[in-house]
Amino acid sequence: MTSKIAIIPKGVLSASSTSLVSRDSTKSGVELENTTALSFLKLPHPRTDLPALFLPFSSESSVDREEQILEVQAVNPPASRSWFTDDNTVLEDGRLLLLTPIDPMFLLLPILRLANPSIESGTFQTIDAIFEAASQKVYEQQLEIGENTDDIPNYKDIILLSRMNFVPSALSRICDCQELEDSTKRRKFGSPEYVIHDSRFSNYPAGRTKLACDLLSQYLSPWIYQELLKLYDFKSLDQHLRSIQAADVGVSHAEGKGKSTAAGGKKRKADTQTSRGVQKLQKTDTSKMNKLTSFFQKKSTA
């Protein structure tokens, strides 16, 4: 078995995989196994839609067994390196894995878009319908690609994600909800504004709001990020930044001009102080000494 060096939260060490059969799994047509081993999920990344690894877990010490999910990132060394372990073995793979908590709300954004490409004008759907549509879309992509499935997420893992107990609450933060007479709740994506509003940056000044948008853009697809920027008026902020940049350019130009003027003026006299040894050489009588060129002249033949 291949070993890796990783930094993980303490709770993962005493954790077990969550029960993934809490709902009726027969609707999706995917067989789900209930295992005690932690297993990674290959899901679409919120910003790039490319497959990325995530690790769901629930701590056994928790009373309510609140489930969490971690994002797996690999730090690649600039050159080829290895790890030396305590048991005197060498791990050829010198990468360092980081497992950090991620808000599941961001993981649901690409799922919603897979379920309905026209996400802004989508229809209300149940949670099962949303994840089944997204899984079906990925499954169709897998059939088109064939055996090489490294470039697409795992359609089974999308169904597994829907079994997590944090999914309903995370969806309610970014979706509009419609409750039917039989208490069935249907959801659809609300607005990009929900993302930043839920992050508690909406009441901050323009500079902090713009900074918050830039931070969130690391986990938002480009189109959601652009729609998010349209919700706020950053004209005064942009004008203020341009004025600061213009002032900086003016100061640097003035400093450069001052230096050139000083350089074009009267030159400073060079330091005329000489050392004591040079002063003694200047007093030496060299009239009777051979010149240096005499040593390179052709010897005359007698």
Side-chain angles (χ1 to χ4, degrees):
M1 183 179 66
T2 305
S3 300
K4 306 287 184 181
I5 302 297
I7 299 177
I8 60 177
K10 291 182 178 179
V12 180
L13 298 178
S14 59
S16 63
S17 64
T18 58
S19 177
L20 301 177
V21 292
S22 57
R23 297 184 189 175
D24 184 12
S25 61
T26 58
K27 293 182 180 179
S28 61
V30 178
E31 296 181 359
L32 305 179
E33 297 181 357
N34 186 14
T35 175
T36 57
L38 292 174
S39 57
F40 292 92
L41 303 181
K42 190 166 71 168
L43 303 171
H45 192 274
R47 184 171 62 88
T48 62
D49 289 335
L50 296 176
L53 290 179
F54 300 90
L55 180 64
F57 75 98
S58 63
S59 177
E60 293 181 351
S61 59
S62 177
V63 178
D64 55 355
R65 293 182 61 87
E66 181 181 358
E67 299 170 355
Q68 303 179 44
I69 190 164
L70 305 175
E71 180 185 10
V72 182
Q73 298 181 355
V75 180
N76 293 316
S80 179
R81 297 181 182 180
S82 302
W83 289 101
F84 291 89
T85 61
D86 295 336
D87 56 353
N88 297 325
T89 59
V90 179
L91 301 181
E92 184 179 357
D93 190 352
R95 293 179 299 175
L96 175 64
L97 300 183
L98 298 177
L99 279 73
T100 56
I102 182 174
D103 191 334
M105 175 191 68
F106 294 102
L107 298 180
L108 299 178
L109 291 173
I111 302 297
L112 290 168
R113 192 174 187 185
L114 281 170
N116 194 343
S118 57
I119 187 171
E120 293 179 327
S121 60
T123 57
F124 286 92
Q125 296 175 298
T126 63
I127 294 180
D128 289 332
I130 292 173
F131 280 86
E132 288 173 10
S135 178
Q136 182 65 27
K137 186 68 174 296
V138 174
Y139 179 70
E140 293 174 356
Q141 294 176 358
Q142 181 177 338
L143 292 178
E144 294 178 0
I145 295 177
E147 296 181 356
N148 187 14
T149 59
D150 294 337
D151 296 333
I152 62 174
N154 191 323
Y155 71 95
K156 292 184 179 180
D157 290 346
I158 293 177
I159 297 298
L160 293 177
L161 178 65
S162 68
R163 307 296 181 241
M164 304 299 168
N165 61 15
F166 52 68
V167 169
S169 59
L171 277 176
S172 63
R173 292 158 52 192
I174 54 175
C175 291
D176 294 326
C177 184
Q178 183 184 70
E179 188 170 356
L180 303 181
E181 296 180 355
D182 58 353
S183 299
T184 302
K185 292 183 179 180
R186 296 185 178 183
R187 296 172 174 86
K188 76 170 184 176
F189 181 71
S191 168
E193 186 179 8
Y194 290 2
V195 177
I196 196 170
H197 178 73
D198 183 78
S199 302
R200 300 178 183 178
F201 287 108
S202 57
N203 295 326
Y204 285 3
R208 295 185 179 181
T209 303
K210 183 63 165 60
L211 177 60
C213 293
D214 293 341
L215 291 174
L216 292 176
S217 67
Q218 302 301 316
Y219 289 93
L220 297 176
S221 59
W223 76 271
I224 291 184
Y225 176 61
Q226 294 301 325
E227 292 296 324
L228 186 62
L229 294 179
K230 293 178 183 178
L231 298 174
Y232 300 93
D233 185 10
F234 295 120
K235 292 182 180 179
S236 58
L237 177 64
D238 295 337
Q239 184 177 0
H240 176 65
L241 294 176
R242 284 195 295 268
S243 63
I244 294 177
Q245 292 174 355
D248 292 340
V249 172
V251 171
S252 60
H253 180 70
E255 290 178 352
K257 187 176 181 181
K259 291 180 180 178
S260 61
T261 302
K266 189 176 180 181
K267 295 183 180 179
R268 292 181 58 187
K269 291 183 178 180
D271 194 355
T272 57
Q273 292 183 358
T274 56
S275 64
R276 188 174 298 177
V278 173
Q279 292 177 357
K280 289 182 178 181
L281 288 175
Q282 290 175 349
K283 297 178 181 178
T284 303
D285 184 12
T286 59
S287 61
K288 296 181 180 180
M289 295 182 181
N290 294 330
K291 293 184 178 182
L292 185 62
T293 56
S294 64
F295 295 96
F296 300 95
Q297 292 179 355
K298 210 171 186 181
K299 290 183 180 183
S300 59
T301 55

